[in-house]
């Protein structure tokens, strides 16, 4: 996961000189809504057994969400987002994680219609397992992406987001353990600017 984040950060740094002036300068006071869909690579969890702790593997799954962004100044934006990830685990059944996050973005200025950004924020992760009871956890995220402006109101979006969270306690009829909602996800979507 760290190698992926480093590779993506390097790609963003290489793309920064090619980035677009088109909307980074015009960000102050603008409001946008966004929609995204993509894939998530969740962390493995652990389960207590009579033989000790066992690893509960997690398969890649789907994620999607909606968000609201407000431009504080020419380079800084505040973003609120609600997303949902669904995937399978080996012993906990289907896992659904709803992520309610708030964060900030720093958007780089450039020459054309592509605006790279990096961001960070705090997350509340509402965890739901098929065959077990689990609780809600808190975490933090880092993200990086590109907004490719089609026109002044519409931008296509690519984003890589890593979430690190505390583990949630798991209880059920067949044992207990720790569920880890941390994940690395890649999404594509669009942003629609109102003003």
């Amino acid at each position: 996961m760290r190698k992926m984040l480093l590779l993506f950060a390097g790609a963003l740094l290489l793309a920064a000189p090619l980035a677009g002036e088109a909307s980074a300068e015009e960000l102050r006071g603008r409001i946008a809504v966004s929609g995204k869909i993509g894939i998530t690579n969740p962390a493995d969890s652990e389960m207590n057994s009579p033989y000790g702790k066992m690893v509960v593997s997690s398969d890649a799954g789907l994620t999607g969400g909606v968000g609201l962004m407000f431009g504080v100044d020419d380079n800084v934006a505040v973003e609120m987002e609600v997303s949902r990830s669904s995937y399978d685990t080996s012993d906990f059944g289907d896992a659904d994680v709803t992520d309610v996050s708030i964060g900030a973005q720093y958007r780089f200025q450039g020459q054309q219609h592509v605006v790279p950004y990096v961001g960070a924020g705090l997350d509340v992760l509402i965890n739901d397992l098929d065959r077990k009871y689990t609780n809600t956890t808190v975490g933090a995220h880092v993200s990086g992406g590109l907004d490719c402006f089609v026109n002044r109101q519409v931008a296509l979006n690519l984003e890589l987001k890593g979430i690190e969270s505390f583990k949630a306690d798991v209880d059920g009829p067949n044992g207990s353990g720790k569920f880890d909602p941390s994940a690395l996800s890649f999404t594509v979507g669009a942003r629609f600017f109102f003003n």
Side-chain angles (χ1 to χ4, degrees), residues 1 16 22 32-33 35 38 41 47 54 58-59 64 68-69 78 84 87 99 102 111 122 155-156 161 168 185 193:
M1 183 151 103
V33 294
N41 185 16
M47 184 172 164
M54 293 176 39
S58 299
D59 296 334
L68 181 67
M69 185 177 82
V78 175
R84 185 149 173 106
Y87 51 91
D99 178 11
I102 186 166
Q111 298 93 12
L122 299 175
L156 301 178
K161 182 178 183 179
S185 54
F193 289 85

Side-chain angles (χ1 to χ4, degrees), residues 20-27 73-75 107-110 115:
E21 251 180 272
S23 294
E25 299 174 47
E26 304 166 1
L27 184 62
D73 70 11
D74 293 341
N75 296 95
R107 300 170 69 84
F108 300 96
Q109 294 185 8
V115 179

Side-chain angles (χ1 to χ4, degrees), residues 5 36-37 70 75 78 82 85 89 119 152 155 175 195:
L5 284 174
K36 314 175 183 189
I37 189 165
F70 175 73
N75 296 95
V78 175
V82 177
S85 300
T89 65
R152 186 171 167 16
N195 48 358

Side-chain angles (χ1 to χ4, degrees), residues 49-145:
S49 77
Y51 308 107
K53 293 194 184 293
M54 293 176 39
V55 172
V56 177
S57 62
S58 299
D59 296 334
L62 294 176
T63 187
V66 294
L68 181 67
M69 185 177 82
F70 175 73
V72 177
D73 70 11
D74 293 341
N75 296 95
V76 177
V78 175
E79 185 173 39
M80 293 171 280
E81 185 177 285
V82 177
S83 61
R84 185 149 173 106
S85 300
S86 295
Y87 51 91
D88 291 327
T89 65
S90 60
D91 290 314
F92 293 155
D94 292 336
D96 294 311
V97 178
T98 302
D99 178 11
V100 180
S101 66
I102 186 166
Q105 292 180 358
Y106 181 82
R107 300 170 69 84
F108 300 96
Q109 294 185 8
Q111 298 93 12
Q112 297 176 11
H113 297 291
V114 178
V115 179
Y117 63 88
V118 294
L122 299 175
D123 301 73
V124 175
L125 298 137
I126 303 162
N127 306 304
D128 184 24
L129 299 175
D130 243 4
R131 301 186 296 252
K132 306 274 185 187
Y133 168 79
T134 187
N135 54 352
T136 298
T137 59
V138 295
H141 72 266
V142 293
S143 61

Side-chain angles (χ1 to χ4, degrees), residues 29-41:
R30 294 188 75 192
I31 298 171
V33 294
S34 60
K36 314 175 183 189
I37 189 165
I39 57 172
T40 186
N41 185 16

Side-chain angles (χ1 to χ4, degrees), residues 144-174:
L146 295 171
D147 278 345
C148 305
F149 280 85
V150 176
N151 59 37
R152 186 171 167 16
Q153 270 71 38
V154 178
L156 301 178
N157 176 259
L158 301 170
E159 183 175 87
L160 185 67
K161 182 178 183 179
I163 301 170
E164 188 66 36
S165 173
F166 291 104
K167 292 180 181 177
D169 292 328
V170 175
D171 292 315
N174 299 332

